[in-house]
Amino acid sequence: MSAVALYVLVLGAGWLFIRAWLRTRYRALKDAGHPQYFSALVASAYLLAIGCSVHVALSRCGPLVYGTAVDAFFDAFPASVSSREDSSIVSMLAASTVWALVLARPLAALFNWPLRNSSLRKTTLIQAGALDAIEATMENALSAGISIAVTLKSGKVYVGLPAASSTLDDDRKWIALFPIMSGFRTATGKIKFTTDYNSAYSRLQRGLTEAQAQDIADRFRVLLPIAEISVVQSFDLEIYEKQFRSSAIGETGNNGIPPSGSSGTVDVEDNKLARGAYSAFIGLFSMAILAAPHSGPAMLGLLLLSALCCVLARNPGGWSDSVSPGAGP
């Protein structure tokens, strides 16, 4: 295998990484041509440096065992070295490329773990340009349990709690909603409700366990195509119940059980501490791997600091942040 072929393989490792890491995944899915090539090139350079450090560190720590394994690998997949290439450099490049390919997905998964903090994930996605206006509203609702009103181009209106969206899928096509009420917009733009799902939830869930009640709610889950959405807005159920509900559908009170999350508008503040800890985690972890061939104690110290930053990014201040089902990285 020549050096050129190895460079192509490490570029493939970079491409795998940017498609798996949430911070870069959306741009990798959306961009085509030169922007994607450049992102993959930067990621492959990073992975190659990490792979080289791992290879050198293992060569020094376990030269007999690791060296034997490397020799066996090269015997099975011999490198093709031209007269202008140094065989030792090609061998080093080959070993580093293998580690880059092996580590691409695990590293992306490790970097994604702190993003289970929904506030940090939302901020990261916005900074990455992964959310348009509708999807930013949806992500805010997903992380905060905000009730929203979604108006389709047909005039149909759904009010409910977001369950998931396809923001990070290969094709961004849909959002999922647990409906609370539905209706339509009149010619003057006012919303007229015709169906009260809360009443149905209340009747069907009476006497059931929480798991059974959630199963009933899941049967009402609605998938709405993003291409057909014209308006997404926050919808304060408490204000609606007090001011408008009786005139809209002829009932008062709300005995239904929301299927997931809570109603009302909740502002989700960008957590600067979490963002700083997340950046520090990635930087310290990378430094630890790069320091591995030179100083074991330095590597261990940096790994410990990176682990603390990782936990802090996931739960800044010790508070626990839960993620809605279906909304995780």
Side-chain angles (χ1 to χ4, degrees):
M1 185 176 295
S2 67
V4 174
L6 293 173
Y7 286 130
V8 172
L9 286 177
V10 78
L11 187 63
W15 184 78
L16 288 174
F17 179 80
I18 65 172
R19 287 179 64 90
W21 185 24
L22 293 182
R23 180 66 179 79
T24 54
R25 175 172 170 77
Y26 169 70
R27 302 305 309 186
L29 294 175
K30 182 179 180 181
D31 291 339
H34 293 90
Q36 187 167 163
Y37 299 151
F38 179 76
S39 298
L41 181 62
V42 172
S44 64
Y46 170 78
L47 290 172
L48 188 61
I50 294 295
C52 183
S53 294
V54 171
H55 170 65
V56 173
L58 290 176
S59 297
R60 293 177 178 178
C61 294
L64 182 60
V65 176
Y66 181 72
T68 302
V70 170
D71 291 340
F73 178 83
F74 287 142
D75 288 340
F77 302 95
S80 176
V81 182
S82 69
S83 58
R84 293 179 298 176
E85 295 176 333
D86 189 320
S87 60
S88 62
I89 294 179
V90 173
S91 297
M92 170 74 77
L93 177 61
S96 302
T97 299
V98 171
W99 278 112
L101 289 167
V102 169
L103 293 174
R105 289 281 186 174
L107 277 177
L110 177 64
F111 292 169
N112 284 342
W113 187 80
L115 297 178
R116 292 178 65 85
N117 173 345
S118 58
S119 178
L120 176 61
R121 185 184 68 250
K122 178 176 75 74
T123 302
T124 300
L125 292 178
I126 291 174
Q127 289 178 334
L131 305 177
D132 58 22
I134 289 179
E135 290 166 332
T137 302
M138 287 296 305
E139 181 62 27
N140 185 68
L142 282 168
S143 61
I146 300 172
S147 299
I148 61 171
V150 179
T151 302
L152 303 181
K153 293 178 180 178
S154 64
K156 181 74 174 181
V157 177
Y158 287 95
V159 171
L161 299 168
S165 72
S166 60
T167 296
L168 295 173
D169 290 350
D170 289 358
D171 296 313
R172 298 145 55 110
K173 292 183 177 180
W174 54 267
I175 61 173
L177 194 72
F178 287 116
I180 296 174
M181 291 177 289
S182 67
F184 59 91
R185 285 192 183 270
T186 65
T188 59
K190 293 183 178 180
I191 300 177
K192 180 176 179 61
F193 291 109
T194 57
T195 306
D196 178 13
Y197 293 90
N198 265 337
S199 298
Y201 293 142
S202 181
R203 290 193 303 271
L204 295 173
Q205 295 174 343
R206 189 176 294 117
L208 301 180
T209 65
E210 183 177 350
Q212 292 172 329
Q214 184 62 48
D215 181 64
I216 292 295
D218 286 340
R219 300 178 189 180
F220 287 83
R221 179 168 160 156
V222 176
L223 288 180
L224 303 176
I226 290 179
E228 294 301 316
I229 294 175
S230 60
V231 178
V232 176
Q233 63 190 81
S234 298
F235 190 89
D236 195 317
L237 274 175
E238 183 178 355
I239 293 178
Y240 173 76
E241 291 289 336
K242 292 178 179 179
Q243 303 294 329
F244 306 108
R245 184 175 177 85
S246 60
S247 62
I249 55 179
E251 296 182 10
T252 58
N254 176 19
N255 297 318
I257 302 174
S260 175
S262 60
S263 63
T265 300
V266 180
D267 293 326
V268 181
E269 297 182 355
D270 292 340
N271 195 297
K272 294 183 179 179
L273 177 61
R275 284 185 291 163
Y278 183 62
S279 298
F281 155 61
I282 294 177
L284 289 170
F285 177 83
S286 301
M287 290 171 60
I289 301 302
L290 295 176
H294 310 289
S295 174
M299 179 198 70
L300 293 176
L302 290 169
L303 282 178
L304 178 59
L305 289 175
S306 69
L308 292 175
C309 290
C310 180
V311 173
L312 184 60
R314 176 66 179 86
N315 295 299
W319 52 266
S320 177
D321 184 72
S322 60
V323 180
S324 303

